[in-house]
Amino acid sequence: MSAETTSRAELLGRSLVAGTVTAECGAAFHAYSPQDGSVLEPTFYSATIEDVDRAVVAATDAFAVFAATSGQERGRLLRAIADGIDASATDLIERAHMETALPRPRLTGEVARTSGQLRLFAQVVEEGSWVMARIDTADPARTPPKPDIRSMLRPLGPSNFPLAFSVAGGDTGSVLAAGNPVIVKAHPAHPGTSEIVGRIILSAVQASGLPAGLFSLLFDSGYGVGAALVQHPGIRAVGFTGSFHGGRALMDLAATRPDPIPVYAEMGSTNPVFILPGALQERGEQLADGLYGSFTLGGGQFCTKPGIVFADASRSTAFTERLRSTTQSGPSFPLLTDGIASTYKRAVAHRGNLQTAAGQSVNIGFSAQPILLETTGERFFSDSSLAEEVFGPTTLLVHCSGIEEMLHAAHALQGHLTATILGTENDLEQNAELLRILETKVGRVIFNSFPTGVEVCHAMVHGGPYPATSDGRSTSVGSQAIFRFTRPVAYQGLPQSALPATLRDSNPLGILRLWNGAWSADVKA
Amino acid sequence: MSAETTSRAELLGRSLVAGTVTAECGAAFHAYSPQDGSVLEPTFYSATIEDVDRAVVAATDAFAVFAATSGQERGRLLRAIADGIDASATDLIERAHMETALPRPRLTGEVARTSGQLRLFAQVVEEGSWVMARIDTADPARTPPKPDIRSMLRPLGPSNFPLAFSVAGGDTGSVLAAGNPVIVKAHPAHPGTSEIVGRIILSAVQASGLPAGLFSLLFDSGYGVGAALVQHPGIRAVGFTGSFHGGRALMDLAATRPDPIPVYAEMGSTNPVFILPGALQERGEQLADGLYGSFTLGGGQFCTKPGIVFADASRSTAFTERLRSTTQSGPSFPLLTDGIASTYKRAVAHRGNLQTAAGQSVNIGFSAQPILLETTGERFFSDSSLAEEVFGPTTLLVHCSGIEEMLHAAHALQGHLTATILGTENDLEQNAELLRILETKVGRVIFNSFPTGVEVCHAMVHGGPYPATSDGRSTSVGSQAIFRFTRPVAYQGLPQSALPATLRDSNPLGILRLWNGAWSADVKA
């Protein structure tokens, strides 16, 4: 059966392997409504190890074709996927709302962000300068003669495997933009949403006349398919967003392969916030409202949720009181899965003696009440478990005795995605050391806003040192994400006609290149 | 004792830890003359685990200062090291000649290459655009408002550890250029050369007024110091050049740390050469001479030595006969160590039935005779051990039945540093598929010259997929080597005065930046 012969509204519940729908062989599973815990139709079937192998073989074949496509061709594919997503926005938002209980306006924004992100990658590859072309021309008169050497970034290898972070998210977009095929293992909590997006991608691939093996979508209720993909000899890189334990397990699998491959895993972060005295005194209540909004956004399930807040709160009872009262009057939030909701409840119960405020509690579906935890700097430093991430609508306010204790906390941080400084400009100037420490600990330092918004743009860095990610040298959001799936290749002494267009003297793409050490977009004839 | 109070000509034989000379605690060892196997004075003493710890602690302290230096300051340090090396060229060449038996003209070239390489990195950091500054300015009118986000590459972390590839080589140069301290474990076969260079670097660090912890040099006759460094929590990245087994051992140690760190290991390569029919017919004897020169250069101990040659040699008996006769009349070559010489002798003896020509054999020192091995494509494919690297003056000529067998050989290749095509332009056009395959297998594709020359320039890629290196996304030669020791950091919403100069609107460094998606060196006021 071809995936295209079925109408989009009717979900198939089966994996898509290089354009064909798999048989109902693997373990069956369902999605659940986080609102009331009810089972959502249809039944989904896990992929088999044979499906994994077929997907990788097809991807390997597709790679040879896709790696040779121009930026214009890749851009067309990315734009076709983006258009398909926008055209299916209604179906997509409806199913995603059923599977995640995230509010429709948020999902509408997420859909626009997804298609916008794909168009950003399209723009990057259509323009073409991203390959960092470098050309050092020959000098036969030098002793010894200087050869002609040219280099550019090329796709990393036969195929890739991102997991989660949405089927057409930044991982898939950047993998395709860089010229690689992609095999996506769908998250079992929202298989219907995954299938809708997967079929859009497949249609776009087929409409572009590219090999269907460029994209496969595999379902699995467990971990077997993911593990098999990471260990498959045809896979050249891995993307992942999820828990620390899941990410580390994939890192260890990849590192013990006969040929280790890169893993880009985003594994969690407490996104520490440092509130400096001036701001606390000037606008304590406003900061409390902003902080509450940020730690409960999306039910506190953002990877950039501010999970720990360091402040000398004795400077502003208004701040602490407002944070407590806002939390007390807060609604309950449906979390994504039963597992996330139970883990949340266990974690906050474990920290029960630190609880100073709790909002509404509802006992249906996978709901969770917002909870404020508070402790002292001294206690925080004596119990390392307090620095661990709690996924869900809670944050830990650490009452520090002063700026020295806040600097000590900054020094003691492991790697995080973000760190935030809330302060006046005078605060920042007086505490320049705090900024110097934080820039060595995170991927993004934020001043006077909250970390939960992750703008998709060229300068964004959504990454950070281990254990926030497996590889702090990369970002998974923004146009720089494309670099993860590339490697440089040099060409020495090739005739002009055999060189990629990117590296020819005539600069047919009109891109910026490092020509004998100087950046220029000129034609060199 | 300070390292500076001793005259340079007199070797100390002890490790340099952050400006102090260590005690004579660890295991003693000597360098040997490859010419006659004699012991070279003085005695060297291995560093202890305590020395490792002191070096890392000092490097961590030095990092805070060094990471904040400007490109001008880093450039000054790199130029001071380069000047020191040029000024000591005579001492350096003399000791290196004793320890390696490499000819003086080659060593003179190596010294110039080393200082030239350091000046290339100086130039890159003084100019400043290498940090890939990206600036997306705020748009408060957008819904939701677009924040101001700016990013640049920053040094990777508190410290680094490159091993071998010479004490002031591309690894040390790029680590320092990127703003990181460095701890070098010296190769025990040329400790005197290492000490001379190490003391030059230390003098340059101290003359620059930078903390002495920026650089340490550790001796070890065994593997303990290297292993301790790779596992030390303060170390953030590892560089290595050596054997596959050594490199893989370091990769595994780094991957099993509580916090895995990147390893840039260059581990060996057979650098396959493909000779196409036109060139073989046109200039068979000339190709044979070029090939002989390349596989025996430096005694065949170049990492880019052409170790396997695929050709339909039935097209040119002139080529094969010339290659055999040149090998037969070739001199013997002193190899670097007794271990390398014995391994070489075992490896060629194991392939004894493939030997078709052998040059002069001398039984003193660590010498080795040049040896030509020949086999058929069929036999090559049936014995995978024939694809393994043999370090020393030998190459394996694989007589292929035609272009199909050569394409099959290309497809079957693992990762290598280089691949070379020797052919006419017509050959290359007729065999475009060969180039398409090879560019997925190596870091550098060469047309019509030999791979042993590795030009230090901006476009050079000295890397390649595993197992040639641990990380095919990087190069260890040329200015792009600096990217290995960096990670991107984004700054959101910071006032101009708190931003690094690199990212301020006024562009005080006058560098190229990606401003709202367009590359420009303009001042934006």
Side-chain angles (χ1 to χ4, degrees):
Chain A
M1 173 165 54
S2 153
E4 282 181 305
T5 57
T6 318
S7 103
R8 190 154 287 152
E10 185 192 321
L11 291 171
L12 301 165
R14 288 179 285 148
S15 299
L16 307 173
V17 173
T20 62
V21 179
T22 60
E24 295 170 4
C25 292
F29 67 100
H30 283 88
Y32 296 87
S33 163
Q35 299 275 13
D36 58 12
S38 64
V39 165
L40 298 174
E41 289 303 329
T43 304
F44 283 81
Y45 295 90
S46 301
T48 63
I49 298 302
E50 290 70 38
D51 294 331
V52 169
D53 196 57
R54 282 197 301 125
V56 177
V57 169
T60 305
D61 290 346
F63 176 61
V65 176
F66 196 48
T69 52
S70 67
Q72 304 308 316
E73 290 170 284
R74 286 183 213 167
R76 261 200 300 283
L77 172 64
L78 291 162
R79 289 184 191 280
I81 299 171
D83 293 346
I85 286 171
D86 286 345
S88 298
T90 314
D91 285 2
L92 204 47
I93 291 164
E94 210 40 52
R95 178 75 192 188
H97 179 65
M98 288 165 66
E99 291 185 332
T100 65
L102 291 171
R104 288 186 181 84
R106 159 85 192 279
L107 291 168
T108 305
E110 287 288 322
V111 168
R113 180 189 169 91
T114 303
S115 56
Q117 189 163 257
L118 292 165
R119 290 192 187 100
L120 178 70
F121 284 117
Q123 209 179 301
V124 167
V125 295
E126 284 161 357
E127 193 279 328
S129 299
W130 75 274
V131 295
M132 308 238 296
R134 289 167 170 242
I135 299 173
D136 293 311
T137 56
D139 180 1
R142 199 197 62 175
T143 319
K146 184 166 166 272
D148 183 293
I149 303 182
R150 300 168 188 237
S151 72
M152 62 184 286
L153 296 175
R154 296 201 54 89
L156 194 55
S159 52
N160 290 276
F161 155 57
L163 185 149
F165 200 20
S166 125
V167 175
D171 283 346
T172 300
S174 54
V175 165
L176 290 174
N180 307 281
V182 60
I183 300 171
V184 177
K185 148 77 173 62
H187 196 292
H190 38 86
T193 309
S194 299
E195 185 184 318
I196 296 174
V197 176
R199 283 162 64 188
I200 292 168
I201 298 176
L202 186 60
S203 300
V205 168
Q206 291 175 326
S208 308
L210 291 163
L214 210 49
F215 175 78
S216 289
L217 176 72
L218 302 181
F219 288 113
D220 189 13
S221 57
Y223 303 109
V225 165
L229 278 166
V230 174
Q231 293 174 289
H232 197 291
I235 295 291
R236 307 297 348 137
V238 177
F240 170 83
T241 302
S243 71
F244 173 74
H245 293 289
R248 180 74 201 230
L250 294 181
M251 288 173 71
D252 291 344
L253 280 179
T256 50
R257 284 168 60 115
D259 56 332
I261 56 174
V263 173
Y264 300 102
E266 187 199 310
M267 303 186 289
S269 173
T270 55
N271 304 293
V273 175
F274 293 80
I275 313 185
L276 295 175
L280 204 57
Q281 271 155 357
E282 229 173 53
R283 49 191 163 98
E285 298 202 341
Q286 190 194 326
L287 292 176
D289 289 351
L291 181 61
Y292 177 80
S294 187
F295 87 74
T296 60
L297 191 70
Q301 297 170 104
F302 270 85
C303 44
T304 48
K305 182 197 80 169
I308 303 186
V309 182
F310 299 97
D312 178 2
S314 65
R315 306 280 190 123
S316 169
T317 49
F319 167 77
T320 312
E321 276 164 20
R322 175 73 161 219
L323 193 58
R324 289 177 190 159
S325 66
T326 313
T327 305
Q328 260 151 13
S329 59
S332 96
F333 298 89
L335 300 188
L336 291 167
T337 68
D338 197 15
I340 290 175
S342 339
T343 305
Y344 176 71
K345 282 167 194 158
R346 267 201 309 280
V348 291
H350 182 71
R351 290 163 173 77
N353 55 347
L354 306 183
Q355 185 177 317
T356 55
Q360 202 193 344
S361 171
V362 175
N363 240 344
I364 54 162
F366 312 148
S367 73
Q369 55 180 160
I371 286 173
L372 176 65
L373 305 170
E374 297 181 51
T375 191
T376 62
E378 201 181 346
R379 173 126 183 228
F380 178 79
F381 292 122
S382 68
D383 180 355
S384 64
S385 76
L386 294 179
E388 284 166 19
E389 184 182 12
V390 180
F391 209 63
T394 185
T395 199
L396 173 64
L397 173 60
V398 181
H399 294 274
C400 293
S401 60
I403 190 69
E404 280 310 314
E405 208 169 67
M406 291 167 71
L407 289 176
H408 177 59
H411 269 300
L413 288 174
Q414 289 193 292
H416 292 275
L417 294 172
T418 70
T420 300
I421 299 174
L422 303 172
T424 60
E425 293 209 10
N426 185 42
D427 277 332
L428 191 62
E429 226 165 86
Q430 304 261 304
N431 297 286
E433 195 188 342
L434 180 62
L435 178 59
R436 291 287 85 76
I437 300 167
L438 294 179
E439 69 188 356
T440 69
K441 302 285 188 174
V442 303
R444 178 167 54 119
V445 181
I446 299 144
F447 184 62
N448 280 345
S449 71
F450 291 92
T452 23
V454 185
E455 182 70 19
V456 177
C457 58
H458 299 284
M460 176 51 66
V461 177
H462 187 66
Y466 187 91
T469 75
S470 57
D471 188 339
R473 294 164 297 170
S474 62
T475 174
S476 60
V477 175
S479 62
Q480 297 185 84
I482 197 171
F483 295 123
R484 296 176 299 167
F485 303 104
T486 64
R487 65 182 185 93
V489 176
Y491 300 84
Q492 179 172 334
L494 268 83
Q496 292 288 316
S497 60
L499 282 167
T502 305
L503 297 177
R504 286 182 203 148
D505 285 356
S506 60
N507 196 4
L509 309 182
I511 59 171
L512 191 73
R513 314 188 297 182
L514 191 65
W515 179 277
N516 289 330
W519 288 103
S520 137
D522 297 351
V523 169
K524 309 284 178 177
Chain B
M1 174 165 57
S2 153
E4 281 179 306
T5 56
T6 318
S7 102
R8 189 153 288 151
E10 183 193 322
L11 291 172
L12 300 165
R14 288 180 284 149
S15 299
L16 307 173
V17 172
T20 61
V21 179
T22 61
E24 295 171 3
C25 292
F29 67 100
H30 283 88
Y32 296 86
S33 161
Q35 300 275 16
D36 58 12
S38 63
V39 167
L40 298 174
E41 289 304 327
T43 305
F44 283 82
Y45 294 91
S46 301
T48 63
I49 297 303
E50 290 69 39
D51 294 331
V52 169
D53 197 56
R54 281 197 302 125
V56 177
V57 168
T60 306
D61 290 346
F63 176 60
V65 176
F66 196 48
T69 52
S70 68
Q72 303 309 316
E73 290 170 285
R74 285 183 213 166
R76 260 199 302 282
L77 172 64
L78 292 162
R79 289 184 191 281
I81 299 172
D83 293 346
I85 286 172
D86 286 345
S88 299
T90 314
D91 284 1
L92 205 47
I93 291 164
E94 210 39 52
R95 177 74 192 188
H97 178 65
M98 287 164 66
E99 291 185 332
T100 66
L102 291 172
R104 287 186 181 83
R106 159 85 192 280
L107 291 169
T108 305
E110 287 288 323
V111 168
R113 180 190 170 90
T114 303
S115 56
Q117 190 163 256
L118 292 165
R119 290 192 187 99
L120 178 70
F121 284 117
Q123 208 179 300
V124 166
V125 294
E126 285 161 355
E127 193 280 327
S129 299
W130 73 275
V131 294
M132 308 237 297
R134 291 168 168 241
I135 299 173
D136 293 312
T137 55
D139 180 1
R142 200 196 62 176
T143 319
K146 184 166 166 273
D148 183 293
I149 304 182
R150 299 167 189 238
S151 73
M152 63 185 286
L153 296 175
R154 297 199 54 88
L156 194 55
S159 52
N160 291 277
F161 156 57
L163 187 148
F165 198 21
S166 124
V167 176
D171 283 346
T172 299
S174 54
V175 164
L176 290 175
N180 306 281
V182 60
I183 300 171
V184 177
K185 149 76 173 64
H187 196 293
H190 38 85
T193 308
S194 299
E195 184 185 318
I196 296 174
V197 176
R199 283 163 64 187
I200 291 167
I201 297 176
L202 185 60
S203 300
V205 167
Q206 291 175 326
S208 307
L210 291 163
L214 210 49
F215 175 78
S216 290
L217 175 73
L218 302 181
F219 290 113
D220 189 15
S221 57
Y223 302 109
V225 165
L229 278 166
V230 173
Q231 294 175 286
H232 196 291
I235 295 291
R236 306 300 344 140
V238 177
F240 169 84
T241 302
S243 71
F244 173 75
H245 293 289
R248 180 73 200 229
L250 294 182
M251 288 173 70
D252 291 344
L253 280 180
T256 50
R257 282 169 60 115
D259 56 331
I261 55 173
V263 173
Y264 300 103
E266 188 199 308
M267 303 186 289
S269 171
T270 56
N271 305 295
V273 174
F274 294 80
I275 312 185
L276 296 175
L280 205 57
Q281 271 153 358
E282 232 173 53
R283 49 191 164 99
E285 298 202 340
Q286 189 193 330
L287 292 176
D289 289 350
L291 180 61
Y292 178 79
S294 188
F295 86 75
T296 59
L297 192 68
Q301 299 170 103
F302 269 86
C303 45
T304 49
K305 182 197 80 169
I308 303 185
V309 182
F310 299 98
D312 178 2
S314 65
R315 307 280 191 120
S316 169
T317 48
F319 167 77
T320 312
E321 276 164 20
R322 175 72 161 220
L323 193 57
R324 289 176 190 159
S325 64
T326 312
T327 305
Q328 259 151 13
S329 58
S332 97
F333 297 88
L335 300 188
L336 291 168
T337 68
D338 196 16
I340 291 175
S342 337
T343 306
Y344 176 72
K345 280 166 194 160
R346 269 201 308 279
V348 290
H350 183 72
R351 290 163 173 77
N353 55 347
L354 307 183
Q355 184 177 317
T356 56
Q360 201 194 344
S361 172
V362 175
N363 241 345
I364 52 162
F366 313 148
S367 73
Q369 58 181 159
I371 286 174
L372 176 66
L373 305 170
E374 297 181 52
T375 190
T376 63
E378 200 180 348
R379 174 127 183 229
F380 178 79
F381 293 121
S382 69
D383 180 356
S384 63
S385 77
L386 294 179
E388 285 166 19
E389 184 182 12
V390 179
F391 208 65
T394 183
T395 199
L396 173 64
L397 174 60
V398 181
H399 293 275
C400 294
S401 60
I403 189 69
E404 280 310 313
E405 208 168 66
M406 289 169 72
L407 288 176
H408 177 60
H411 269 298
L413 288 174
Q414 290 193 293
H416 292 274
L417 294 171
T418 70
T420 300
I421 300 175
L422 303 172
T424 61
E425 293 209 10
N426 184 42
D427 277 332
L428 191 63
E429 226 166 86
Q430 304 260 303
N431 297 287
E433 196 188 342
L434 180 61
L435 179 58
R436 292 288 84 78
I437 301 167
L438 294 180
E439 68 188 355
T440 69
K441 303 284 189 177
V442 303
R444 179 167 54 119
V445 181
I446 299 143
F447 183 63
N448 279 348
S449 71
F450 291 91
T452 23
V454 185
E455 181 71 18
V456 177
C457 57
H458 299 284
M460 176 51 67
V461 177
H462 187 67
Y466 187 93
T469 75
S470 56
D471 188 339
R473 294 164 296 169
S474 63
T475 173
S476 60
V477 175
S479 62
Q480 296 185 85
I482 196 171
F483 295 123
R484 297 176 297 167
F485 303 104
T486 65
R487 65 182 186 92
V489 175
Y491 299 84
Q492 180 172 333
L494 267 83
Q496 292 289 315
S497 60
L499 282 167
T502 305
L503 298 177
R504 286 182 203 148
D505 286 356
S506 60
N507 197 5
L509 309 182
I511 59 172
L512 192 73
R513 314 188 297 182
L514 192 63
W515 180 276
N516 289 329
W519 288 103
S520 138
D522 296 351
V523 170
K524 308 287 178 174

